Amino acid sequence: MKKLKAFAAPYLVWMAVFIVVPLLMVAYFAFTDEEGHFTLDYIANVGQYTNIFVRSIWLAIIATVICLVLAYPVSFILSRMKKHHQGTMLMIVMLPMWMNFLLRTYAWMTLLGNNGIINNLLGMIGIGPLKLINTEGAVVLGMVYNYLPFMILPLYSVMVKIDKSLIEAASDLGCNPVSTLFRVVVPLSVPGIMSGVTMVFVPAISTFIISRMLGGGSNLLIGDLIEMQFLGNAYNPHLGAGISLVLMVIILLIMTIMNQFNPDDQVLI
Amino acid sequence: MKTLSKVYMGLVLMFLYVPIFVLIVFSFNETKSRSVFSGFTLDWYAKLFRNEVIISSLMNTIIIAVIASIAATLLGTLAAIGINSMRKVPKAIVMNITNMPIVNPEIVTGVSLMLLFVFFAARMNLEFGFVTLVIAHITFDVPYVILNVMPKFRQMDPNLFEAAQDLGCSPFTALRKVILPEIMPGVVSGFLMSFTFSLDDFVISYFTSGSTSQTLPITIYSMTRRKISPEINALSTLIFVVVVIVLVVKHIIETKQEQRNRANGGDEE
């Protein structure tokens, strides 16, 4: 297949100009001041925001774990359905993803508000009103709701390839359902878990809209911090680039650690 | 399907759909209340259609998504064919860079492209707007196409391509007759994913759009920032209806095709 290599040429040019160069510019901005002189000041300043970094990482981990736990059975049930039902069901599950995520998040603003439906219903049975919106819980909920399909899809596409007879063989050979799950299905679905976790964790750790809409002003995340440096009042692209760089490094580290658990030699990052 | 599975799927679907249905119900609400339904009206829809900002940003969104996803599918499919025939080390390098926009938080991609466009804007006659948006969308779409197509090569017997040539196919015919049918499901899902992400994208567009060219998500964002307006609910309802129609039609066509294939003995894909 060597002759086909040239097909990649247009993309390689695109990749260099619009992926590599912009990222190098982020690095350049992070290490220079307005006059273009080398400085470590902006990177050092990122340290002031450690609490925001810790909060972002923590909330993203919680949201990712919840997504995995919720999505795993969904994908498995989907993958074991009759072939012609699978398509329909997958469509129904993925349909909300086609709605803009701002609208989906806005829907939760409506539900969770102090005068929202949930508090109204709770009020009828004599509870509340509870403080639902502008909490960390609301932010996690928003993340789970928005990114759940990103977990379901990769899991499903791996699981659908697991041969039914492998599962039957396991139980014929004396595995109970639980050990079949953990010794047959889970090991075979690791690549799906890895890409699902990546696809949920990364947007979750860097979101700035969900935190703003559901977290109020008090639950700032890394994303909010970066946005403020580029489009907010605190215009400072050098600090913004510094924060972005640190965020990238954190994500790369976490992904590298995760790759250690991947049995395939395929590269995830 | 066992009862437990059905109950579980029901609960997950409820979680996914209830917020959207609440949004839809309140688009017909007479007052601006988001929790008490006081009477039926279509006023918000009438207001929506008179809102020129929304209509023009909707057009922009569709045009950009179509252009970007088609371009990305072409670029990405060619790239995947090329990358697949590369040697191990260059392949790993290219794939690692390709993964950058996916592993990287959207906000970092957005910010990095913003820095690049600012650089060009200062030196050439580049204005933030339509062109920058299309470039940005293609850039974040292509990796998804490549990542959807590449696994198809892994599932494919690498000798098939050579076997086809040994049996008298020209490389081009072998590509068309052997490789393309094998990777087609990946190409299609890559395209659909690109298109969805382009329609849905807010974060990267937010950093790369100017004041001249807005996409619908950006308009929606500015609407949610201002006071509550049931126009958003009306818009969500319309988007939801369109999504349902598109997906159902697509699904029916696919199911019919499958049935036809099965009737033909399943020898054609």
Side-chain angles (χ1 to χ4, degrees):
Chain A
M1 295 213 209
K2 295 283 172 281
K3 289 168 205 152
L4 302 175
K5 240 189 306 196
F7 279 70
Y11 169 67
L12 293 183
V13 174
W14 189 279
M15 185 180 89
V17 178
F18 295 112
I19 298 179
V20 178
V21 171
L23 287 176
L24 291 177
M25 287 183 78
V26 172
Y28 175 79
F29 267 75
F31 289 110
T32 51
D33 58 19
E34 280 102 46
E35 279 99 45
H37 300 304
F38 176 82
T39 174
L40 284 174
D41 287 359
Y42 294 107
I43 294 289
N45 280 347
V46 176
Q48 293 168 3
Y49 304 103
T50 310
N51 58 333
I52 294 179
F53 273 84
V54 170
R55 184 193 293 133
S56 301
I57 295 170
W58 178 233
L59 294 187
I61 289 176
I62 296 175
T64 308
V65 170
I66 295 175
C67 276
L68 181 60
V69 171
L70 281 178
Y72 204 85
V74 173
S75 306
F76 186 72
I77 294 168
L78 266 171
S79 71
R80 299 300 113 184
M81 285 167 90
K82 290 198 191 84
K83 264 278 173 290
H84 58 284
H85 288 162
Q86 271 183 31
T88 313
M89 205 58 196
L90 190 65
M91 181 197 82
I92 294 171
V93 170
M94 300 307 288
L95 199 146
M97 196 183 86
W98 287 63
M99 294 273 289
N100 189 272
F101 92 105
L102 290 162
L103 296 175
R104 284 179 276 154
T105 310
Y106 174 77
W108 279 103
M109 275 172 83
T110 310
L111 290 171
L112 298 175
N114 291 335
N115 300 313
I117 293 190
I118 293 176
N119 264 326
N120 262 22
L121 290 178
L122 287 176
M124 275 178 214
I125 52 169
I127 308 172
L130 302 175
K131 188 176 169 5
L132 297 172
I133 203 161
N134 300 345
T135 59
E136 289 191 346
V139 177
V140 172
L141 178 73
M143 290 172 178
V144 171
Y145 186 70
N146 276 302
Y147 306 134
L148 188 61
F150 294 153
M151 185 67 90
I152 293 175
L153 201 60
L155 282 175
Y156 165 77
S157 45
V158 170
M159 286 183 186
V160 81
K161 294 192 194 83
I162 299 177
D163 197 331
K164 198 169 100 190
S165 46
L166 280 177
I167 295 166
E168 287 165 358
S171 67
D172 285 350
L173 293 170
C175 262
N176 60 30
V178 176
S179 54
T180 309
L181 176 68
F182 284 105
R183 301 182 71 167
V184 179
V185 181
V186 171
L188 286 173
S189 57
V190 167
I193 296 176
M194 291 299 159
S195 64
V197 166
T198 311
M199 284 173 80
V200 172
F201 181 77
V202 175
I205 195 180
S206 59
T207 181
F208 69 99
I209 294 305
I210 295 174
S211 49
R212 194 167 293 173
M213 285 169 84
L214 298 175
S218 55
N219 290 298
L220 276 186
L221 298 183
I222 303 172
D224 301 294
L225 208 54
I226 296 174
E227 191 263 353
M228 277 156 46
Q229 312 307 322
F230 283 94
L231 293 170
N233 297 329
Y235 185 74
N236 189 348
H238 297 274
L239 178 59
I243 300 168
S244 307
L245 205 61
V246 175
L247 176 62
M248 276 162 65
V249 171
I250 290 176
I251 289 174
L252 278 174
L253 278 178
I254 293 176
M255 293 300 135
T256 313
I257 295 167
M258 266 183 44
N259 265 338
Q260 308 304 311
F261 297 105
N262 199 1
D264 281 352
D265 58 351
Q266 72 190 76
V267 199
L268 270 174
I269 55 165
Chain B
M1 211 181 2
K2 285 192 216 118
T3 324
L4 191 66
S5 307
K6 278 187 185 162
V7 171
Y8 185 75
M9 285 303 266
L11 286 175
V12 170
L13 289 180
M14 233 175 81
F15 173 63
L16 289 174
Y17 280 91
V18 164
I20 296 172
F21 284 138
V22 170
L23 214 60
I24 290 173
V25 168
F26 281 92
S27 73
F28 301 108
N29 194 10
E30 222 169 44
T31 60
K32 281 194 171 186
S33 167
R34 293 194 283 179
S35 57
V36 183
F37 197 87
S38 45
F40 183 88
T41 180
L42 288 173
D43 283 0
W44 304 116
Y45 290 86
K47 269 198 167 168
L48 184 68
F49 285 115
R50 284 197 299 269
N51 191 329
E52 271 170 35
V53 180
I54 290 181
I55 303 297
S56 73
S57 60
L58 173 67
M59 291 313 293
N60 261 333
T61 308
I62 293 172
I63 294 168
I64 289 167
V66 168
I67 296 175
S69 56
I70 290 175
T73 306
L74 289 174
L75 202 60
T77 306
L78 290 177
I81 295 170
I83 293 167
N84 185 58
S85 44
M86 285 178 176
R87 250 172 283 133
K88 205 170 171 172
V89 174
K91 187 179 186 174
I93 294 171
V94 173
M95 283 314 285
N96 273 310
I97 299 174
T98 299
N99 277 309
M100 289 305 270
I102 295 175
V103 176
N104 263 340
E106 274 185 299
I107 193 170
V108 173
T109 307
V111 159
S112 70
L113 283 167
M114 184 185 168
L115 288 175
L116 180 81
F117 293 148
V118 167
F119 180 83
F120 277 127
R123 280 156 190 81
M124 286 172 222
N125 240 345
L126 180 84
E127 242 180 74
F128 274 70
F130 186 78
V131 176
T132 52
L133 277 171
V134 170
I135 292 174
H137 278 228
I138 295 175
T139 305
F140 73 72
D141 280 344
V142 178
Y144 288 102
V145 176
I146 295 177
L147 284 196
N148 269 287
V149 175
M150 290 300 282
K152 301 290 164 199
F153 285 111
R154 231 176 283 139
Q155 289 158 21
M156 186 179 122
D157 187 339
N159 298 319
L160 278 179
F161 182 65
E162 260 126 59
Q165 285 175 285
D166 287 348
L167 293 170
C169 270
S170 70
F172 181 73
T173 318
L175 183 69
R176 198 164 54 87
K177 291 264 189 187
V178 178
I179 294 184
L180 217 52
E182 289 277 333
I183 63 173
M184 211 50 201
V187 175
V188 172
S189 58
F191 169 76
L192 290 178
M193 217 169 188
S194 299
F195 189 69
T196 316
F197 285 165
S198 269
L199 282 183
D200 206 44
D201 176 70
F202 168 72
V203 177
I204 295 169
S205 306
Y206 184 63
F207 287 100
T208 52
S209 71
S211 48
T212 53
S213 195
Q214 300 269 313
T215 65
L216 190 59
I218 295 172
T219 308
I220 292 170
Y221 178 63
S222 50
M223 282 170 83
T224 63
R225 297 283 281 168
R226 274 183 271 123
K227 62 184 190 311
I228 305 131
S229 159
E231 274 175 285
I232 300 181
N233 296 45
L235 182 66
S236 310
T237 309
L238 294 178
I239 291 177
F240 184 75
V241 170
V242 171
V243 165
V244 170
I245 292 172
V246 169
L247 290 191
V248 167
V249 168
K250 174 181 157 279
H251 183 65
I252 290 171
I253 293 172
E254 278 175 359
T255 317
K256 281 218 172 119
Q257 259 172 357
E258 242 169 62
Q259 278 167 355
R260 212 176 306 137
N261 285 345
R262 225 173 293 144
N264 291 343
D267 50 1
E268 251 180 277
E269 278 263 8

